[in-house]
Amino acid sequence: MSGQWEYRFATLTANASGWDEQVNSMLAKWSAQGWEPVNHAVMADRDGFPVHFTFLLRHRMV
């Protein structure tokens, strides 16, 4: 069982300004718990600013 992964989705609705710091902070919190990002999707507002992020994260099962 040591080669199996657990997967979870994490979402973040960010403000138009400072979204990169918000994403980095969220990923740092997940990484501190042993999770690593595998993939992501981003939705933008009409002006092209990213406002909603979804990450697929994985964690190795013990």
Side-chain angles (χ1 to χ4, degrees), residues 25-53:
S25 174
M26 184 189 85
L27 290 176
K29 290 175 186 175
W30 279 90
S31 294
Q33 297 175 22
W35 292 88
E36 61 182 86
V38 177
N39 206 341
H40 72 282
V42 180
M43 284 182 23
D45 64 9
R46 292 181 193 177
D47 297 321
F49 292 104
V51 293
H52 188 83
F53 299 84

mmCIF file of all heavy atoms in Angstrom, residues 25-53:
data_model
loop_
_atom_site.group_PDB
_atom_site.id
_atom_site.type_symbol
_atom_site.label_atom_id
_atom_site.label_comp_id
_atom_site.label_asym_id
_atom_site.label_seq_id
_atom_site.Cartn_x
_atom_site.Cartn_y
_atom_site.Cartn_z
ATOM 1 N N SER A 25 0.117 31.257 -0.589
ATOM 2 C CA SER A 25 -0.174 30.979 0.811
ATOM 3 C C SER A 25 -0.970 29.681 0.961
ATOM 4 O O SER A 25 -0.669 28.849 1.824
ATOM 5 C CB SER A 25 -0.952 32.148 1.419
ATOM 6 O OG SER A 25 -1.358 31.853 2.720
ATOM 7 N N MET A 26 -1.980 29.498 0.109
ATOM 8 C CA MET A 26 -2.784 28.279 0.175
ATOM 9 C C MET A 26 -1.934 27.052 -0.128
ATOM 10 O O MET A 26 -1.994 26.049 0.587
ATOM 11 C CB MET A 26 -3.956 28.343 -0.801
ATOM 12 C CG MET A 26 -4.865 27.123 -0.696
ATOM 13 S SD MET A 26 -6.097 27.037 -2.002
ATOM 14 C CE MET A 26 -5.143 26.249 -3.279
ATOM 15 N N LEU A 27 -1.111 27.127 -1.172
ATOM 16 C CA LEU A 27 -0.269 25.988 -1.523
ATOM 17 C C LEU A 27 0.767 25.695 -0.439
ATOM 18 O O LEU A 27 1.087 24.531 -0.183
ATOM 19 C CB LEU A 27 0.414 26.223 -2.867
ATOM 20 C CG LEU A 27 -0.513 26.187 -4.083
ATOM 21 C CD1 LEU A 27 0.263 26.539 -5.349
ATOM 22 C CD2 LEU A 27 -1.192 24.839 -4.217
ATOM 23 N N ALA A 28 1.294 26.713 0.207
ATOM 24 C CA ALA A 28 2.259 26.508 1.293
ATOM 25 C C ALA A 28 1.610 25.777 2.461
ATOM 26 O O ALA A 28 2.228 24.884 3.069
ATOM 27 C CB ALA A 28 2.821 27.849 1.754
ATOM 28 N N LYS A 29 0.362 26.105 2.770
ATOM 29 C CA LYS A 29 -0.347 25.422 3.866
ATOM 30 C C LYS A 29 -0.575 23.950 3.544
ATOM 31 O O LYS A 29 -0.378 23.079 4.389
ATOM 32 C CB LYS A 29 -1.678 26.116 4.149
ATOM 33 C CG LYS A 29 -1.511 27.470 4.788
ATOM 34 C CD LYS A 29 -2.842 28.179 4.950
ATOM 35 C CE LYS A 29 -2.639 29.592 5.453
ATOM 36 N NZ LYS A 29 -3.892 30.354 5.518
ATOM 37 N N TRP A 30 -0.978 23.666 2.310
ATOM 38 C CA TRP A 30 -1.182 22.265 1.907
ATOM 39 C C TRP A 30 0.148 21.520 1.880
ATOM 40 O O TRP A 30 0.235 20.364 2.307
ATOM 41 C CB TRP A 30 -1.870 22.193 0.547
ATOM 42 C CG TRP A 30 -3.361 22.388 0.631
ATOM 43 C CD1 TRP A 30 -4.034 23.569 0.547
ATOM 44 C CD2 TRP A 30 -4.362 21.385 0.824
ATOM 45 N NE1 TRP A 30 -5.378 23.358 0.665
ATOM 46 C CE2 TRP A 30 -5.608 22.021 0.833
ATOM 47 C CE3 TRP A 30 -4.310 19.998 0.977
ATOM 48 C CZ2 TRP A 30 -6.791 21.322 1.001
ATOM 49 C CZ3 TRP A 30 -5.492 19.302 1.138
ATOM 50 C CH2 TRP A 30 -6.721 19.969 1.155
ATOM 51 N N SER A 31 1.197 22.151 1.364
ATOM 52 C CA SER A 31 2.514 21.508 1.285
ATOM 53 C C SER A 31 3.072 21.188 2.657
ATOM 54 O O SER A 31 3.723 20.159 2.847
ATOM 55 C CB SER A 31 3.493 22.406 0.528
ATOM 56 O OG SER A 31 3.096 22.530 -0.812
ATOM 57 N N ALA A 32 2.803 22.050 3.622
ATOM 58 C CA ALA A 32 3.274 21.817 4.989
ATOM 59 C C ALA A 32 2.645 20.561 5.589
ATOM 60 O O ALA A 32 3.215 19.962 6.506
ATOM 61 C CB ALA A 32 2.955 23.032 5.863
ATOM 62 N N GLN A 33 1.506 20.148 5.042
ATOM 63 C CA GLN A 33 0.837 18.943 5.529
ATOM 64 C C GLN A 33 1.142 17.724 4.659
ATOM 65 O O GLN A 33 0.517 16.671 4.797
ATOM 66 C CB GLN A 33 -0.671 19.180 5.584
ATOM 67 C CG GLN A 33 -1.063 20.262 6.555
ATOM 68 C CD GLN A 33 -2.542 20.556 6.511
ATOM 69 O OE1 GLN A 33 -3.343 19.732 6.090
ATOM 70 N NE2 GLN A 33 -2.917 21.746 6.941
ATOM 71 N N GLY A 34 2.093 17.873 3.732
ATOM 72 C CA GLY A 34 2.525 16.747 2.913
ATOM 73 C C GLY A 34 1.816 16.593 1.584
ATOM 74 O O GLY A 34 2.014 15.606 0.886
ATOM 75 N N TRP A 35 0.991 17.562 1.203
ATOM 76 C CA TRP A 35 0.272 17.495 -0.066
ATOM 77 C C TRP A 35 1.070 18.203 -1.144
ATOM 78 O O TRP A 35 1.734 19.193 -0.883
ATOM 79 C CB TRP A 35 -1.101 18.157 0.073
ATOM 80 C CG TRP A 35 -2.022 17.388 0.959
ATOM 81 C CD1 TRP A 35 -2.129 17.513 2.310
ATOM 82 C CD2 TRP A 35 -2.946 16.388 0.573
ATOM 83 N NE1 TRP A 35 -3.061 16.646 2.790
ATOM 84 C CE2 TRP A 35 -3.596 15.939 1.737
ATOM 85 C CE3 TRP A 35 -3.303 15.818 -0.640
ATOM 86 C CZ2 TRP A 35 -4.560 14.952 1.714
ATOM 87 C CZ3 TRP A 35 -4.278 14.838 -0.661
ATOM 88 C CH2 TRP A 35 -4.896 14.411 0.507
ATOM 89 N N GLU A 36 0.978 17.703 -2.378
ATOM 90 C CA GLU A 36 1.647 18.350 -3.495
ATOM 91 C C GLU A 36 0.665 18.555 -4.640
ATOM 92 O O GLU A 36 -0.184 17.706 -4.898
ATOM 93 C CB GLU A 36 2.850 17.540 -3.966
ATOM 94 C CG GLU A 36 2.517 16.161 -4.457
ATOM 95 C CD GLU A 36 3.742 15.381 -4.868
ATOM 96 O OE1 GLU A 36 4.357 14.758 -3.984
ATOM 97 O OE2 GLU A 36 4.073 15.407 -6.069
ATOM 98 N N PRO A 37 0.741 19.705 -5.314
ATOM 99 C CA PRO A 37 -0.172 19.972 -6.428
ATOM 100 C C PRO A 37 0.149 19.091 -7.636
ATOM 101 O O PRO A 37 1.315 18.864 -7.951
ATOM 102 C CB PRO A 37 0.045 21.451 -6.746
ATOM 103 C CG PRO A 37 1.371 21.774 -6.164
ATOM 104 C CD PRO A 37 1.621 20.829 -5.048
ATOM 105 N N VAL A 38 -0.907 18.593 -8.269
ATOM 106 C CA VAL A 38 -0.766 17.751 -9.449
ATOM 107 C C VAL A 38 -1.225 18.505 -10.696
ATOM 108 O O VAL A 38 -0.593 18.447 -11.739
ATOM 109 C CB VAL A 38 -1.590 16.451 -9.299
ATOM 110 C CG1 VAL A 38 -1.523 15.598 -10.553
ATOM 111 C CG2 VAL A 38 -1.129 15.668 -8.089
ATOM 112 N N ASN A 39 -2.329 19.232 -10.560
ATOM 113 C CA ASN A 39 -2.899 19.962 -11.686
ATOM 114 C C ASN A 39 -3.738 21.110 -11.141
ATOM 115 O O ASN A 39 -4.034 21.149 -9.948
ATOM 116 C CB ASN A 39 -3.754 19.033 -12.546
ATOM 117 C CG ASN A 39 -3.846 19.499 -13.979
ATOM 118 O OD1 ASN A 39 -3.591 20.648 -14.290
ATOM 119 N ND2 ASN A 39 -4.229 18.580 -14.858
ATOM 120 N N HIS A 40 -4.129 22.028 -12.016
ATOM 121 C CA HIS A 40 -4.953 23.150 -11.573
ATOM 122 C C HIS A 40 -5.794 23.686 -12.729
ATOM 123 O O HIS A 40 -5.512 23.414 -13.894
ATOM 124 C CB HIS A 40 -4.094 24.268 -10.997
ATOM 125 C CG HIS A 40 -3.309 25.008 -12.010
ATOM 126 N ND1 HIS A 40 -2.147 24.505 -12.563
ATOM 127 C CD2 HIS A 40 -3.505 26.203 -12.614
ATOM 128 C CE1 HIS A 40 -1.664 25.367 -13.430
ATOM 129 N NE2 HIS A 40 -2.477 26.421 -13.491
ATOM 130 N N ALA A 41 -6.833 24.417 -12.359
ATOM 131 C CA ALA A 41 -7.681 25.117 -13.323
ATOM 132 C C ALA A 41 -7.937 26.514 -12.770
ATOM 133 O O ALA A 41 -8.006 26.705 -11.558
ATOM 134 C CB ALA A 41 -8.998 24.383 -13.528
ATOM 135 N N VAL A 42 -8.089 27.479 -13.673
ATOM 136 C CA VAL A 42 -8.286 28.876 -13.276
ATOM 137 C C VAL A 42 -9.452 29.453 -14.055
ATOM 138 O O VAL A 42 -9.559 29.250 -15.262
ATOM 139 C CB VAL A 42 -7.018 29.721 -13.552
ATOM 140 C CG1 VAL A 42 -7.229 31.166 -13.136
ATOM 141 C CG2 VAL A 42 -5.811 29.129 -12.863
ATOM 142 N N MET A 43 -10.333 30.168 -13.335
ATOM 143 C CA MET A 43 -11.392 30.927 -13.990
ATOM 144 C C MET A 43 -11.058 32.401 -13.840
ATOM 145 O O MET A 43 -10.590 32.834 -12.790
ATOM 146 C CB MET A 43 -12.750 30.654 -13.333
ATOM 147 C CG MET A 43 -13.336 29.327 -13.709
ATOM 148 S SD MET A 43 -14.967 28.982 -12.996
ATOM 149 C CE MET A 43 -15.672 30.544 -12.630
ATOM 150 N N ALA A 44 -11.312 33.169 -14.893
ATOM 151 C CA ALA A 44 -11.005 34.603 -14.879
ATOM 152 C C ALA A 44 -12.287 35.421 -15.018
ATOM 153 O O ALA A 44 -13.307 34.930 -15.505
ATOM 154 C CB ALA A 44 -10.055 34.939 -16.018
ATOM 155 N N ASP A 45 -12.203 36.668 -14.571
ATOM 156 C CA ASP A 45 -13.342 37.568 -14.747
ATOM 157 C C ASP A 45 -13.321 38.145 -16.165
ATOM 158 O O ASP A 45 -12.484 37.776 -16.992
ATOM 159 C CB ASP A 45 -13.344 38.669 -13.676
ATOM 160 C CG ASP A 45 -12.137 39.596 -13.759
ATOM 161 O OD1 ASP A 45 -11.372 39.509 -14.742
ATOM 162 O OD2 ASP A 45 -11.973 40.406 -12.841
ATOM 163 N N ARG A 46 -14.221 39.052 -16.445
ATOM 164 C CA ARG A 46 -14.334 39.622 -17.807
ATOM 165 C C ARG A 46 -13.080 40.347 -18.262
ATOM 166 O O ARG A 46 -12.808 40.438 -19.445
ATOM 167 C CB ARG A 46 -15.506 40.597 -17.868
ATOM 168 C CG ARG A 46 -16.830 39.938 -17.726
ATOM 169 C CD ARG A 46 -17.915 40.972 -17.832
ATOM 170 N NE ARG A 46 -19.166 40.391 -17.400
ATOM 171 C CZ ARG A 46 -20.296 41.036 -17.325
ATOM 172 N NH1 ARG A 46 -20.332 42.316 -17.643
ATOM 173 N NH2 ARG A 46 -21.387 40.439 -16.924
ATOM 174 N N ASP A 47 -12.336 40.864 -17.302
ATOM 175 C CA ASP A 47 -11.116 41.603 -17.637
ATOM 176 C C ASP A 47 -9.885 40.704 -17.736
ATOM 177 O O ASP A 47 -8.785 41.185 -17.977
ATOM 178 C CB ASP A 47 -10.865 42.693 -16.598
ATOM 179 C CG ASP A 47 -11.982 43.722 -16.573
ATOM 180 O OD1 ASP A 47 -12.481 44.068 -17.663
ATOM 181 O OD2 ASP A 47 -12.361 44.153 -15.468
ATOM 182 N N GLY A 48 -10.071 39.417 -17.513
ATOM 183 C CA GLY A 48 -8.965 38.477 -17.615
ATOM 184 C C GLY A 48 -8.195 38.249 -16.332
ATOM 185 O O GLY A 48 -7.178 37.567 -16.331
ATOM 186 N N PHE A 49 -8.674 38.816 -15.222
ATOM 187 C CA PHE A 49 -7.995 38.599 -13.945
ATOM 188 C C PHE A 49 -8.450 37.279 -13.337
ATOM 189 O O PHE A 49 -9.647 37.002 -13.275
ATOM 190 C CB PHE A 49 -8.295 39.739 -12.964
ATOM 191 C CG PHE A 49 -7.698 41.041 -13.375
ATOM 192 C CD1 PHE A 49 -8.487 42.038 -13.921
ATOM 193 C CD2 PHE A 49 -6.339 41.269 -13.216
ATOM 194 C CE1 PHE A 49 -7.935 43.250 -14.302
ATOM 195 C CE2 PHE A 49 -5.780 42.479 -13.593
ATOM 196 C CZ PHE A 49 -6.580 43.469 -14.136
ATOM 197 N N PRO A 50 -7.516 36.451 -12.871
ATOM 198 C CA PRO A 50 -7.894 35.180 -12.258
ATOM 199 C C PRO A 50 -8.644 35.422 -10.948
ATOM 200 O O PRO A 50 -8.211 36.213 -10.123
ATOM 201 C CB PRO A 50 -6.565 34.479 -12.016
ATOM 202 C CG PRO A 50 -5.514 35.516 -12.152
ATOM 203 C CD PRO A 50 -6.084 36.649 -12.912
ATOM 204 N N VAL A 51 -9.782 34.762 -10.787
ATOM 205 C CA VAL A 51 -10.595 34.968 -9.587
ATOM 206 C C VAL A 51 -10.944 33.667 -8.868
ATOM 207 O O VAL A 51 -11.344 33.687 -7.711
ATOM 208 C CB VAL A 51 -11.897 35.740 -9.902
ATOM 209 C CG1 VAL A 51 -11.595 37.161 -10.318
ATOM 210 C CG2 VAL A 51 -12.710 35.034 -10.968
ATOM 211 N N HIS A 52 -10.814 32.525 -9.541
ATOM 212 C CA HIS A 52 -11.171 31.251 -8.919
ATOM 213 C C HIS A 52 -10.157 30.195 -9.346
ATOM 214 O O HIS A 52 -9.920 30.011 -10.531
ATOM 215 C CB HIS A 52 -12.584 30.834 -9.338
ATOM 216 C CG HIS A 52 -13.094 29.642 -8.599
ATOM 217 N ND1 HIS A 52 -13.669 29.728 -7.367
ATOM 218 C CD2 HIS A 52 -13.083 28.336 -8.930
ATOM 219 C CE1 HIS A 52 -14.014 28.525 -6.961
ATOM 220 N NE2 HIS A 52 -13.662 27.657 -7.893
ATOM 221 N N PHE A 53 -9.579 29.528 -8.371
ATOM 222 C CA PHE A 53 -8.559 28.516 -8.625
ATOM 223 C C PHE A 53 -9.025 27.183 -8.049
ATOM 224 O O PHE A 53 -9.576 27.137 -6.953
ATOM 225 C CB PHE A 53 -7.238 28.879 -7.936
ATOM 226 C CG PHE A 53 -6.662 30.174 -8.404
ATOM 227 C CD1 PHE A 53 -7.070 31.381 -7.858
ATOM 228 C CD2 PHE A 53 -5.694 30.191 -9.390
ATOM 229 C CE1 PHE A 53 -6.531 32.579 -8.283
ATOM 230 C CE2 PHE A 53 -5.143 31.386 -9.823
ATOM 231 C CZ PHE A 53 -5.569 32.581 -9.270
#
